[in-house]
Amino acid sequence: MHLATLRLQNFRNYPALELPLQPGVHLILGRNAQGKTNLLESIAYLALGRSFRVASDRDLIRWGAPEMRVAAGVDGRLGRFTLELEYSWRPGEGATKQARLNGLKVERLSQLLGNLLVVVFTPGDLELVKGPPACRRRMLDTELVQLNAGYRSAFARYQRALAQRNSVLRAWQASGSAAEPPPLAAWDQELAETGARLVVGRLQAVARLRKLAAEAHAALAGGSERLELGYECSLGGKRNCLANDEVYLFGGSPESPAPDVTSLTEVFLSELHQRRPEERRRGTTLVGPHRDDLALWLDRRDARIYASQGQQRTVSLALKLAEVRYFQQVAGEFPVLLLDDVLSELDEGRQTALAQALGPVTQVFLTATALSPGLRDVWPGSFEYEVQDGKVTRRG
Amino acid sequence: MLYPEPMARLMAELGRLPGVGPKTAQRLAYHILRMPREQAQALADAIVRLRQEIRYCSRCFNLTDVDPCRICQDSSRQQDVLCVVQEPRDVMAIEGTREYHGLYHVLHGALSPLQGIGPENLRIKELLSRLQHEPIQEVIVATNPTVEGEATGLYIARLVRPLGIRTTRLAQGLPMGADLEYTDEATLAQALVGRKEIS
Ligand SMILES: Nc1ncnc2c1ncn2[C@@H]1O[C@H](COP(=O)(O)OP(=O)(O)O)[C@@H](O)[C@H]1O
Ligand SMILES: [Mg+2]
Ligand SMILES: [Zn+2]
């Protein structure tokens, strides 16, 4: 799929922007702090309903303005559609956030997701390998909320149930009483049902990503090392890892490693039951998908611990390329790919390999501070844009 | 801007309403000022009467102008089925289907520990007392399909089941995360007919 138009009003440092777009690679060039990342952020905002930076919606409104709007026309597999997301904040009136799909207001923001598909790659993603588990979980979650409506609703419900349950546990911890608060069991059930859906969704995704990531990595690293992916589930301890040669996930087989939601709900519930005393002591929920991790091995060594700088780069790039292919397989079309400032982090060899791998992708946005000598050769036929102080001009 | 006191006061009161900011409050106040006198009086009377005459039914806790409410008083209704809902507006929604002929019990909320709402803040004690004193054979849990509604429903089911009373919930098919009040009547009617045992 590709964006055919992008329209911004008071988004970050863009007072007003109307940009016609087309399939192909878009090089977004400009000096620092001109609005290159902001432009990519606006596209991701339409796809995900939130910023990919650590930013609240209010940070996205141009300073001094009361509201902002992002809109796009998208050409997808099923034809043209339009998306619009509007956010306003006024003192005394609070915030409103409204999305429109084909001009019609959607009742819930989650209905926006899954229409425009994006994969984002920022310099921060180079932390994917050695960063905390949360950043690898976020990668899986960001994929799955876009591709899977069931996952999307389970994800929101899980977060909610987790917050509610933790609040019960904190009160229990503070009370000093040994007697279990009666409603705890009700929250267990809701947590386990939605959590089991998340684990099943992630296992299915990892089972597919394993192959794609290994292929992408072989192409980038010249086949010298083997990348393997796994899923480390906090339910049932290390026993329930998903590794390439050792698949003993909840009794599943390598061909169908994903257990069903019902049996996993039972596993989750009994695990919660066993952990009661410890959870009471700690005042928080100790097992569940919010504690899981995506495992990464290079030649059977844990890349999360041992990978060198260079290996981390290759692995994180391979993960992103695998993601793009995964979207294509599941959705039947390529996502829009947003690459922020990543070229400066990659040597020429990896840049060329990246350009080759991205050849078939329908639409790519790539930011860079300068058009380095080799860039045009690496990205032949790309469109060049210059960003300066919230204005975008097409070059050449 | 300095408004005459009665104007400022009305605007302040309107501004307290949900979804009404200062601008809207100002617009509404001007609108009320320009209304024919009788119309403004009718609005004021309606508000006063609402608070004087509407109260909660002492049996089912639905909104009513007579106590017990008209549904509780209606002896033609099934006296052995009880439908548990979160809010009075859910009673209206279910009545709209004309599929249900039993009694109701309104909880006035759902469990939400984050907001400090526990079982003691809902009409749950009153529900259990009714189950002891009335010939109820089936409790239909019709809390909203939100995370909080589901947990509340489960909590109630766990309390009711040991009493040997059949416990059912509305069939799925309700949009997840939706409120009952927004569900169209056809879907709701279907959900009622296809209700399931809570295991
Ligand atoms: N809410 C906002 N309103 C106005 N300007 C903003 C806002 N948020 C960020 N900016 C400005 O945007 C610029 C940074 O844009 P960014 O896209 O991150 O730069 P780069 O081109 O280096 O990627 C800075 O000049 C910053 O002051
Ligand atoms: Mg930038
Ligand atoms: Zn009544």
Side-chain angles (χ1 to χ4, degrees):
Chain A
M1 64 171 61
H2 72 272
L3 288 145
T5 58
L6 179 67
R7 216 170 64 238
L8 306 183
Q9 273 167 37
N10 290 329
F11 184 90
R12 294 278 197 188
N13 67 335
Y14 290 91
L17 175 74
E18 179 106 44
L19 199 59
L21 297 160
Q22 57 281 310
V25 175
H26 298 63
L27 292 175
I28 312 293
L29 306 164
R31 283 179 294 114
N32 271 325
Q34 299 304 308
K36 300 184 298 297
T37 304
N38 294 345
L39 192 70
L40 267 51
E41 187 182 33
S42 73
I43 297 172
Y45 186 63
L46 265 187
L48 305 171
R50 57 174 176 75
S51 167
F52 62 65
R53 290 167 159 175
V54 204
S56 70
D57 291 310
R58 263 180 78 184
D59 301 328
L60 305 179
I61 304 181
R62 196 165 72 98
W63 297 322
E67 62 191 8
M68 59 92 165
R69 184 176 295 113
V70 185
V74 183
D75 278 334
R77 197 166 50 94
L78 302 174
R80 167 76 58 100
F81 59 91
T82 63
L83 294 174
E84 195 179 323
L85 190 48
E86 201 178 271
Y87 180 83
S88 76
W89 190 90
R90 288 180 176 81
E93 301 209 2
T96 61
K97 193 170 180 176
Q98 178 67 57
R100 285 191 185 77
L101 185 55
N102 288 326
L104 297 175
K105 287 187 181 181
V106 300
E107 234 174 274
R108 267 163 289 135
L109 196 62
S110 62
Q111 291 168 289
L112 185 69
L113 274 68
N115 292 296
L116 170 62
L117 305 175
V118 296
V119 168
V120 186
F121 192 27
T122 69
D125 286 322
L126 295 171
E127 296 280 294
L128 263 176
V129 182
K130 280 206 169 170
C135 61
R136 288 179 291 278
R137 287 196 297 267
R138 195 179 315 120
M139 177 188 127
L140 291 176
D141 288 338
T142 307
E143 279 168 24
L144 285 159
V145 295
Q146 294 188 72
L147 291 173
N148 183 333
Y151 194 91
R152 198 178 307 146
S153 88
F155 184 73
R157 294 178 75 96
Y158 184 78
Q159 304 300 334
R160 186 91 189 153
L162 183 63
Q164 294 281 21
R165 188 174 185 275
N166 282 341
S167 159
V168 177
L169 287 173
R170 264 196 310 278
W172 191 15
Q173 181 192 38
S175 77
S177 148
E180 176 180 323
L184 187 57
W187 294 107
D188 284 1
Q189 186 71 34
E190 185 64 21
L191 189 81
E193 277 175 19
T194 54
R197 281 176 207 284
L198 298 190
V199 173
V200 167
R202 287 184 189 170
L203 285 169
Q204 285 168 349
V206 173
R208 286 235 213 167
L209 283 169
R210 282 198 292 175
K211 192 165 166 290
L212 298 171
E215 284 167 7
H217 189 267
L220 287 171
S224 57
E225 288 166 323
R226 193 156 65 105
L227 172 67
E228 290 173 85
L229 265 55
Y231 188 73
E232 276 174 12
C233 190
S234 57
L235 303 173
K238 280 256 189 287
R239 237 172 352 104
N240 291 317
C241 258
L242 174 69
N244 272 357
D245 299 336
E246 316 157 73
V247 182
Y248 25 68
L249 260 169
F250 310 104
S253 73
E255 288 71 38
S256 58
D260 65 295
V261 172
T262 318
S263 63
L264 201 52
T265 304
E266 290 309 312
V267 174
F268 202 157
L269 282 172
S270 78
E271 194 90 17
L272 287 174
H273 207 71
Q274 280 171 33
R275 303 268 189 140
R276 274 287 194 277
E278 201 186 340
E279 289 198 329
R280 181 189 138 215
R281 235 183 1 261
R282 309 260 302 264
T284 191
T285 303
L286 296 171
V287 288
H290 67 292
R291 289 280 177 132
D292 295 354
D293 198 358
L294 173 70
L296 302 168
W297 295 286
L298 271 179
D299 282 347
R300 320 242 74 188
R301 279 158 72 85
D302 196 331
R304 294 167 294 177
I305 300 167
Y306 295 111
S308 69
Q309 283 277 340
Q311 286 173 323
Q312 289 179 53
R313 263 161 219 210
T314 313
V315 169
S316 53
L317 201 55
L319 285 175
K320 285 294 157 178
L321 293 176
E323 244 190 293
V324 170
R325 291 288 313 283
Y326 175 64
F327 270 74
Q328 198 265 331
Q329 285 186 357
V330 174
E333 59 190 330
F334 278 107
V336 172
L337 185 54
L338 306 172
L339 298 165
D340 190 28
D341 258 345
V342 288
L343 294 186
S344 55
E345 307 279 343
L346 300 174
D347 58 39
E348 210 166 309
R350 287 202 190 84
Q351 280 199 31
T352 312
L354 175 68
Q356 237 152 37
L358 296 185
V361 180
T362 317
Q363 193 177 45
V364 180
F365 292 85
L366 248 165
T367 67
T369 42
L371 191 58
S372 64
L375 207 55
R376 279 209 179 106
D377 304 329
V378 175
W379 306 96
S382 56
F383 304 97
E384 289 171 24
Y385 295 83
E386 169 93 28
V387 179
Q388 199 179 4
D389 195 17
K391 282 184 211 60
V392 181
T393 41
R394 172 113 178 237
R395 274 201 201 163
Chain B
M1 225 179 312
L2 214 56
Y3 287 102
E5 197 272 340
M7 188 75 177
R9 189 164 146 215
L10 178 60
M11 276 160 48
E13 293 300 332
L14 290 169
R16 275 197 245 260
L17 297 174
V20 179
K23 280 230 176 74
T24 312
Q26 187 189 44
R27 218 179 49 233
L28 288 173
Y30 272 111
H31 184 81
I32 293 169
L33 189 64
R34 283 192 223 102
M35 274 180 179
R37 175 174 285 273
E38 314 79 68
Q39 205 184 330
Q41 188 63 51
L43 175 64
D45 286 348
I47 294 172
V48 172
R49 272 195 56 203
L50 176 78
R51 294 312 303 256
Q52 277 171 353
E53 295 173 23
I54 295 288
R55 58 208 124 139
Y56 296 130
C57 170
S58 57
R59 189 172 167 210
C60 72
F61 299 95
N62 191 14
L63 292 176
T64 180
D65 54 347
V66 291
D67 190 19
C69 74
R70 290 168 208 278
I71 292 176
C72 285
Q73 278 188 34
D74 182 351
S75 59
S76 75
R77 296 190 72 112
Q78 260 177 284
Q79 301 294 313
D80 56 355
V81 189
L82 189 66
C83 181
V84 178
V85 296
Q86 284 178 216
E87 302 293 343
R89 61 178 182 239
D90 300 329
V91 173
M92 301 305 159
I94 293 175
E95 282 300 284
T97 69
R98 301 183 186 278
E99 278 294 336
Y100 180 69
H101 312 289
L103 303 174
Y104 289 96
H105 190 84
V106 184
L107 296 170
H108 290 277
L111 294 174
S112 180
L114 281 172
Q115 295 162 285
I117 302 174
E120 64 284 358
N121 304 107
L122 306 175
R123 300 289 185 177
I124 290 179
K125 232 180 14 235
E126 291 85 348
L127 170 66
L128 295 176
S129 147
R130 283 185 73 181
L131 296 180
Q132 259 152 23
H133 298 108
E134 295 176 34
I136 307 288
Q137 303 284 331
E138 178 184 354
V139 169
I140 304 174
V141 178
T143 48
N144 288 344
T146 57
V147 173
E148 289 75 15
E150 293 282 354
T152 309
L154 271 165
Y155 177 70
I156 288 171
R158 274 161 202 267
L159 293 175
V160 173
R161 222 173 311 128
L163 306 177
I165 297 170
R166 185 174 172 223
T167 326
T168 55
R169 51 173 294 170
L170 295 190
Q172 290 299 322
L174 293 178
M176 293 288 258
D179 282 346
L180 275 187
E181 106 183 271
Y182 296 126
T183 320
D184 70 274
E185 287 173 2
T187 322
L188 194 52
Q190 214 176 15
L192 262 168
V193 174
R195 64 184 185 266
K196 299 205 174 73
E197 304 288 335
I198 303 184
S199 54

